[in-house]
Amino acid sequence: MRIFLFSLLLFTPIVASYSQDNQYVNYNNVKDLREVLKDLESRFDILFSYDPEILKGNKKITINQRLTLKQILKELASQTGLVFEKVSEKQILITRTGIICGYVKDKESSEPLAYVDVFIDDKVYTVTDGNGFFSFDLSSYSSKERVITFSSLGYKGFKQPITPNKDCITVFLEGNTSTLNEVVVLSYVTSGIDRNKDGSVDVDTKRLGILPGLVSPDIVQSIQLIPGISTLDESATGIQVRGGTPDQNLILYDGIKLYNTGYFYGMFSLFNPFATEKAKIFRSGTSASYGDRISGIIDISSGEKIPLKTEGGAEIDGLSLNGFLKTKLSDKLGLYFFARRSYSDILQTPTYHSYADKIFTNFGVARDINGNVLQLETDDDFTRETSNNTFTFSDFSTKLIYEPNERNTILFSGLYTNNSLDFDFTGGEEKSADDLNTVNKGFSVQWQHSSSEYQKEEITFYYSGYDSFYQNDEIENVNGNGVVDVTKINIRENRIDDFGLNLSLERQLTESQKINLGFQTSNTNVVLNVQEIEPFDPNENETTFQDLNNFKNAIFSEYSYTFSNKGYMNIGARLVHYSSVNRFLLEPRFNLEYPISERFRLKTAIERRNQPISQLIEFNTTELRLENDLWRLSNNDEFPLLRSNQISGGLLYNYKNLNLDIDAYYKKLDGLTTFTSGFSNPLDNLEQGSSIIKGLDILMRYRWNNYKIWLGYTFNDITFQFPNLVNTSSRFPGNNDITHQFRISNSLKLNNWEFALGWQIRTGRPITPVTSYEIKIDADGENAGVVNFGAINSGRLPAFHRLDASILYDFDIRTSNKKIKAQFGLSVLNIYNRIKPLDLIYKAEKKPLDDGGIAIPGTTGSTPDELEVILEQVIQRNSLGLTPNAVLRIIF
């Protein structure tokens, strides 16, 4: 019996396979070919892809015999005159004579290339889909030239004569000369993220593969897959590059310097996915042409080419509506337009509620160093029913491209973003109301000129404006006698106007040598207005107003040499003068990458950089705010110039489908202050300090056909030194010291489907623990929690980890005269809904106790009029809960 069952199990698949390979079909004068196709799909578990137009007017189908699928398709081709091509194990493409189809792939990696422009003259045009596939119906088109042309950003144009062929062709595009000379590793992390020989990373959103937890190709979220780039609070604006803080990053959009990059307290990126065609990222080895910041560089472009044909698109996700249009106004003039707006003021989705819960639920159980719960007043009555919030964001950007001839290109870009939030919360008879409005605006004009084949010049003028207004009202007696008392008003206003002019010249001396020279000048005006208003006690009102300017002049030069084995060396320097500190500063730069074999490259980079502006971080003004940061210029007094000296080195391995990158770095930062570093415990005085960052980044990526896996690990040892602070050792963990970060991600492409799953874990953030806490009576006769803090940053929050997933499906929407490409996506952040604190902030102030030194029974008394640290509140910022999102995108 066992032998019989074993034989049955063994041969069942064979019999099933035979029954699937050989089928008896009975079609007698079937008029509609679609009926035959549906029957075959059911019998053989396959899928036919075709244009419904080609099935019209076909002859009757008659087949009556047992045949294999291959034989049936051959018979159908004979009776209909159509072409049946098996393009995958499960998919069969139906075309007719006059149809040309094919696949476009990268010549080096053999990966399919999406969104490649494919055209014949201006009459026949299409783009490749996510599989690199295209098709044309040429039956009604005649052309003497009969040449098909392929064009894609970063690749050489390619032309191929059209020849009668029933099979789909495969075209391999080669990177253009300049791109090939720069790129060392294609698909460094995933498709669309490439590593250049100077250590920078290029992100091409058209080629960008699916990423865990994302349904749109967001630049800021995508680069967080690169080791050494992360955010500690899950926000889009909190990007930290190799231990640097977010305000230490230089972020450019079409040459416009940005001072704010997020919406909704920084949770969402202000970069419209349609409006970000490519970006260049530097973690180290920065070109001398970049200055004014001491950490990462994120240089974003919306594109620089006149479109071959008008194209547009639209999408809707769980937060906003988005659209774009690119059109060719003439052979020399092109126009881009992008627009996006949130709709949460009309409809609030589960996606919105998840982010809102994270932002506005800023309380939790506070404990001392021994785990005892602190008896504090908290906003634990916060619910959606006791609060109201109205949140909207919108952005508009445009670009005009003018190419009068082959030697000249003029680009104009404009950007406007607005973020508005009104929030109020009622607890008992007290109410807190918050009003925030943030605006970014700017434009740039760029002239690119080629004097010859070997020399290029560029002139860029830009304006960047940033306006932030925040007001918090504390209101009492809301439900009392009908009289509403505004007891305190906090106002924070920050305005920046930045004008700049950049001139550069690039000269190719020989095939392997190049120089780059430039001059940059700018004027930055920063207005800071801080008010604390006491309506019932005007004598207690406090106002700080500053209107400061910094006039910058800088010259830079760099020499680069490309070795015959694709090694690279760059030596440069930057001389800059900042009027706000009245100093001339020299910034040397050195970058070297040298192949020691075909698979291994050694690399090192040394650089010095300076920063004349930084953000102040304060926590004692409001209970709800996440973005407490105010820009301020450096001076020679209490806010010094930020200075950085850094060195890095490592090894890069690249062979076939495997990438391995190891990079170690050391950074010394001077000019930190207690107001720019964001300590969790309150500090009375402004103190100056420094930081040392030691780190190691490791990336491994492997590709097997359509499956990719990449792992990233970062080790950081960030220490602060503030000599005048009490409760500290000579060096202590920095506020952003995340010792270990690990991320693993997978993606899989199956026909029109894409799947991604990713998990990340990191060490908890340093905090200052509470060593003791007792209830006493203050000078007003009210209970007060007297607190003593331990050593600064001697404790840590729990580890953070999260599992994310995404699914994308590409499909076509067929209309009477054209085919519209569409995509539907689903994503989930934090699948297992683990919510833990990401940050902890103590709100406290020093107050006298009761004159008689009276304390509540059971507590320790104190001397009269003694000043004690009174802990008023603990603000606890938690991680996102389970956060779903969905997107529907169409391209036409």
Side-chain angles (χ1 to χ4, degrees):
M1 184 65 180
R2 291 182 179 178
I3 296 176
F4 171 75
L5 291 175
F6 176 77
S7 301
L8 182 63
L9 290 172
L10 181 64
F11 286 103
T12 295
I14 299 176
V15 173
S17 175
Y18 177 81
S19 64
Q20 286 183 348
D21 289 343
N22 294 271
Q23 294 277 338
Y24 181 81
V25 292
N26 184 17
Y27 306 133
N28 292 308
N29 294 322
V30 178
K31 297 180 179 179
D32 191 347
L33 178 58
R34 287 175 296 184
E35 294 182 11
V36 175
L37 299 180
K38 287 180 181 179
D39 181 59
L40 293 177
E41 286 179 335
S42 175
R43 287 172 178 265
F44 293 95
D45 189 24
I46 55 176
L47 177 67
F48 288 99
S49 298
Y50 54 87
D51 184 343
E53 292 295 320
I54 70 175
L55 301 188
K56 293 181 179 180
N58 275 295
K59 299 178 181 179
K60 297 178 181 179
I61 307 299
T62 299
I63 306 176
N64 293 289
Q65 54 184 313
R66 180 178 292 278
L67 298 171
T68 64
L69 175 61
K70 185 177 181 180
Q71 292 170 329
I72 294 172
L73 296 179
K74 185 176 181 180
E75 186 63 30
L76 288 175
S78 174
Q79 294 188 28
T80 63
L82 299 175
V83 177
F84 293 78
E85 181 190 3
K86 192 173 184 181
V87 295
S88 70
E89 214 40 53
K90 297 289 185 179
Q91 185 179 12
I92 296 172
L93 179 69
I94 306 176
T95 59
R96 63 186 176 196
T97 304
I99 295 290
I100 182 171
C101 61
Y103 294 87
V104 182
K105 298 183 178 181
D106 182 275
K107 186 174 182 179
E108 184 170 337
S109 67
S110 295
E111 291 192 357
L113 297 178
Y115 304 109
V116 175
D117 296 309
V118 188
F119 57 95
I120 304 171
D121 301 338
D122 287 332
K123 299 180 179 178
V124 183
Y125 169 83
T126 188
V127 294
T128 57
D129 62 15
N131 297 311
F133 176 78
F134 70 92
S135 66
F136 281 125
D137 180 4
L138 302 179
S139 57
S140 59
Y141 176 73
S142 60
S143 172
K144 296 179 180 179
E145 189 176 350
R146 303 289 287 183
V147 172
I148 187 167
T149 303
F150 302 87
S151 175
S152 181
L153 180 69
Y155 290 87
K156 289 182 179 179
F158 181 76
K159 293 185 177 182
Q160 177 168 316
I162 299 175
T163 57
N165 193 340
K166 291 186 178 181
D167 297 326
C168 287
I169 62 174
T170 299
V171 175
F172 292 93
L173 294 188
E174 182 180 356
N176 62 41
T177 304
S178 59
T179 302
L180 278 177
N181 287 338
E182 296 298 326
V183 175
V184 170
V185 182
L186 285 167
S187 301
Y188 173 63
V189 177
T190 186
S191 300
I193 302 181
D194 307 322
R195 187 187 185 280
N196 300 317
K197 64 185 180 184
D198 63 358
S200 65
V201 175
D202 283 346
V203 180
D204 181 352
T205 57
K206 278 192 173 183
R207 296 170 43 228
L208 195 61
I210 186 173
L211 302 175
L214 298 181
V215 288
S216 295
D218 184 273
I219 288 285
V220 176
Q221 298 288 349
S222 301
I223 64 176
Q224 294 181 38
L225 293 174
I226 304 170
I229 302 178
S230 63
T231 175
L232 304 186
D233 57 4
E234 302 176 299
S235 72
T237 58
I239 292 294
Q240 302 198 131
V241 179
R242 291 188 168 176
T245 55
D247 65 322
Q248 295 170 4
N249 298 322
L250 176 64
I251 302 178
L252 303 170
Y253 178 81
D254 281 346
I256 305 169
K257 191 180 296 183
L258 297 181
Y259 292 88
N260 175 267
T261 58
Y263 298 127
F264 206 20
Y265 290 119
M267 294 307 300
F268 313 131
S269 167
L270 63 71
F271 298 114
N272 185 328
F274 286 136
T276 52
E277 184 170 290
K278 58 181 179 179
K280 183 177 288 292
I281 317 297
F282 282 95
R283 293 172 292 173
S284 62
T286 311
S287 166
S289 61
Y290 295 104
D292 305 335
R293 298 294 187 273
I294 62 173
S295 193
I297 308 294
I298 304 174
D299 192 350
I300 300 171
S301 171
S302 60
E304 298 181 351
K305 297 295 183 182
I306 296 175
L308 298 170
K309 188 178 181 180
T310 298
E311 60 178 304
E315 72 172 20
I316 181 172
D317 60 20
L319 297 165
S320 63
L321 292 164
N322 189 9
F324 82 97
L325 178 70
K326 295 183 179 182
T327 185
K328 180 180 181 180
L329 301 178
S330 71
D331 290 340
K332 298 181 178 181
L333 192 64
L335 175 67
Y336 300 171
F337 180 76
F338 311 94
R340 178 173 55 161
R341 190 191 187 279
S342 64
Y343 56 80
S344 56
D345 53 331
I346 302 171
L347 174 66
Q348 296 183 352
T349 64
T351 307
Y352 173 83
H353 284 309
S354 181
Y355 281 102
D357 288 346
K358 169 187 169 64
I359 291 170
F360 300 123
T361 309
N362 287 329
F363 59 85
V365 177
R367 301 177 184 272
D368 64 16
I369 197 170
N370 298 313
N372 301 314
V373 176
L374 309 184
Q375 301 300 317
L376 297 170
E377 289 189 19
T378 64
D379 294 328
D380 51 9
D381 293 329
F382 168 84
T383 63
R384 294 175 189 169
E385 289 73 27
T386 60
S387 65
N388 299 289
N389 67 80
T390 302
F391 162 66
T392 59
F393 70 80
S394 59
D395 51 66
F396 307 92
S397 58
T398 187
K399 191 161 199 173
L400 194 65
I401 305 167
Y402 178 54
E403 297 179 353
N405 50 55
E406 293 183 355
R407 291 182 176 271
N408 294 278
T409 300
I410 298 174
L411 307 170
F412 172 84
S413 294
L415 172 70
Y416 178 86
T417 74
N418 181 273
N419 175 76
S420 179
L421 174 66
D422 292 320
F423 174 84
D424 64 72
F425 161 72
T426 303
E429 295 186 358
E430 296 183 355
K431 182 176 181 178
S432 179
D434 292 77
D435 179 21
L436 172 69
N437 192 70
T438 304
V439 172
N440 289 279
K441 53 191 175 183
F443 68 86
S444 66
V445 181
Q446 187 179 80
W447 175 39
Q448 300 172 352
H449 175 68
S450 296
S451 297
S452 68
E453 183 182 352
Y454 307 102
Q455 182 170 308
K456 299 178 182 178
E457 301 87 18
E458 189 173 290
I459 300 176
T460 303
F461 174 79
Y462 74 87
Y463 163 72
S464 177
Y466 168 69
D467 293 285
S468 175
F469 179 85
Y470 173 83
Q471 180 171 329
N472 167 255
D473 297 339
E474 296 179 12
I475 305 169
E476 293 184 357
N477 203 29
V478 176
N479 300 314
N481 56 15
V483 179
V484 177
D485 300 326
V486 179
T487 59
K488 191 171 184 178
I489 300 173
N490 294 301
I491 294 176
R492 301 293 183 267
E493 186 176 8
N494 202 193
R495 186 172 69 250
I496 299 176
D497 291 296
D498 187 349
F499 293 87
L501 177 67
N502 302 328
L503 313 175
S504 67
L505 179 148
E506 181 183 289
R507 176 74 179 181
Q508 193 79 37
L509 302 176
T510 66
E511 187 176 345
S512 59
Q513 300 180 77
K514 182 172 64 176
I515 60 170
N516 189 17
L517 309 173
F519 168 74
Q520 299 171 349
T521 183
S522 67
N523 185 75
T524 306
N525 173 249
V526 180
V527 175
L528 183 65
N529 180 23
V530 178
Q531 299 182 50
E532 295 185 6
I533 302 172
E534 301 278 355
F536 295 103
D537 191 359
N539 293 328
E540 295 294 323
N541 292 350
E542 297 181 9
T543 299
T544 300
F545 182 84
Q546 296 177 350
D547 187 343
L548 303 173
N549 280 279
N550 178 51
F551 184 55
K552 178 197 77 175
N553 286 284
I555 57 173
F556 68 87
S557 65
E558 55 187 357
Y559 165 82
S560 61
Y561 182 82
T562 302
F563 298 90
S564 57
N565 58 1
K566 214 175 181 180
Y568 176 81
M569 179 182 67
N570 181 281
I571 302 173
R574 181 183 180 88
L575 180 64
V576 60
H577 178 268
Y578 297 121
S579 67
S580 64
V581 294
N582 194 24
R583 293 175 61 184
F584 285 95
L585 302 157
L586 181 64
E587 301 179 355
R589 313 281 175 90
F590 175 75
N591 190 8
L592 174 66
E593 289 209 8
Y594 192 80
I596 55 177
S597 71
E598 291 185 0
R599 303 181 185 182
F600 290 94
R601 296 173 67 90
L602 292 175
K603 51 184 178 173
T604 186
I606 304 171
E607 59 187 327
R608 175 181 295 166
R609 293 158 68 185
N610 298 278
Q611 180 170 331
I613 188 172
S614 57
Q615 286 182 316
L616 308 180
I617 302 175
E618 53 170 3
F619 301 109
N620 291 328
T621 58
T622 174
E623 300 171 0
L624 296 171
R625 180 166 51 176
L626 286 182
E627 284 187 333
N628 301 357
D629 309 339
L630 302 171
W631 288 99
R632 191 194 189 285
L633 287 170
S634 300
N635 55 27
N636 283 320
D637 194 8
E638 66 267 53
F639 294 98
L641 184 81
L642 284 169
R643 304 180 304 278
S644 169
N645 291 287
Q646 42 191 297
I647 182 172
S648 62
L651 180 70
L652 175 66
Y653 174 85
N654 175 234
Y655 180 67
K656 291 185 177 180
N657 297 328
L658 177 65
N659 299 332
L660 178 63
D661 193 0
I662 303 173
D663 215 7
Y665 48 92
Y666 176 92
K667 300 169 68 172
K668 175 71 165 60
L669 275 58
D670 293 300
L672 301 180
T673 72
T674 50
F675 285 6
T676 59
S677 299
F679 289 89
S680 61
N681 58 306
L683 301 174
D684 295 331
N685 302 315
L686 174 66
E687 303 291 349
Q688 297 183 14
S690 62
S691 173
I692 291 179
I693 302 171
K694 303 172 186 176
L696 176 70
D697 294 337
I698 300 176
L699 170 69
M700 187 188 78
R701 190 214 68 141
Y702 182 77
R703 179 175 63 89
W704 180 60
N705 295 330
N706 292 328
Y707 172 74
K708 300 172 187 173
I709 181 171
W710 56 95
L711 300 88
Y713 169 76
T714 294
F715 166 80
N716 266 330
D717 178 20
I718 304 174
T719 57
F720 282 177
Q721 185 174 27
F722 284 81
N724 295 329
L725 285 184
V726 296
N727 282 353
T728 65
S729 56
S730 59
R731 290 201 169 273
F732 57 93
N735 299 325
N736 58 337
D737 177 44
I738 304 299
T739 311
H740 304 285
Q741 299 182 62
F742 174 78
R743 181 191 294 261
I744 179 171
S745 302
N746 308 257
S747 70
L748 176 66
K749 186 174 181 61
L750 294 175
N751 298 323
N752 293 344
W753 292 90
E754 292 183 76
F755 306 89
L757 183 68
W759 184 72
Q760 57 178 304
I761 184 171
R762 64 171 181 257
T763 309
R765 194 170 186 166
I767 58 169
T768 301
V770 172
T771 56
S772 66
Y773 179 80
E774 56 182 330
I775 304 297
K776 296 183 181 181
I777 299 176
D778 64 16
D780 297 323
E782 298 181 355
N783 294 351
V786 178
V787 64
N788 289 306
F789 292 104
I792 293 179
N793 289 351
S794 59
R796 283 192 182 270
L797 292 172
F800 165 84
H801 55 83
R802 196 178 79 185
L803 181 67
D804 307 326
S806 300
I807 300 174
L808 293 175
Y809 176 68
D810 294 315
F811 60 99
D812 294 331
I813 301 175
R814 300 178 186 274
T815 64
S816 58
N817 58 355
K818 69 180 303 182
K819 181 171 63 176
I820 298 174
K821 295 187 179 298
Q823 185 180 71
F824 178 73
L826 294 172
S827 70
V828 180
L829 298 173
N830 196 3
I831 292 175
Y832 45 71
N833 198 30
R834 180 180 185 267
I835 301 176
K836 292 294 180 180
L838 299 180
D839 199 4
L840 198 66
I841 301 161
Y842 302 103
K843 290 183 62 177
E845 61 178 312
K846 289 186 175 181
K847 293 182 179 180
L849 294 180
D850 181 83
D851 290 340
I854 300 174
I856 291 179
T859 65
T860 304
S862 58
T863 60
D865 297 321
E866 180 182 359
L867 290 178
E868 299 275 12
V869 179
I870 308 301
L871 183 60
E872 297 180 338
Q873 192 180 43
V874 177
I875 300 175
Q876 183 170 291
R877 297 169 178 167
N878 294 320
S879 58
L880 274 171
L882 186 146
T883 306
N885 199 1
V887 67
L888 175 63
R889 182 180 300 111
I890 60 173
I891 304 293
F892 53 86

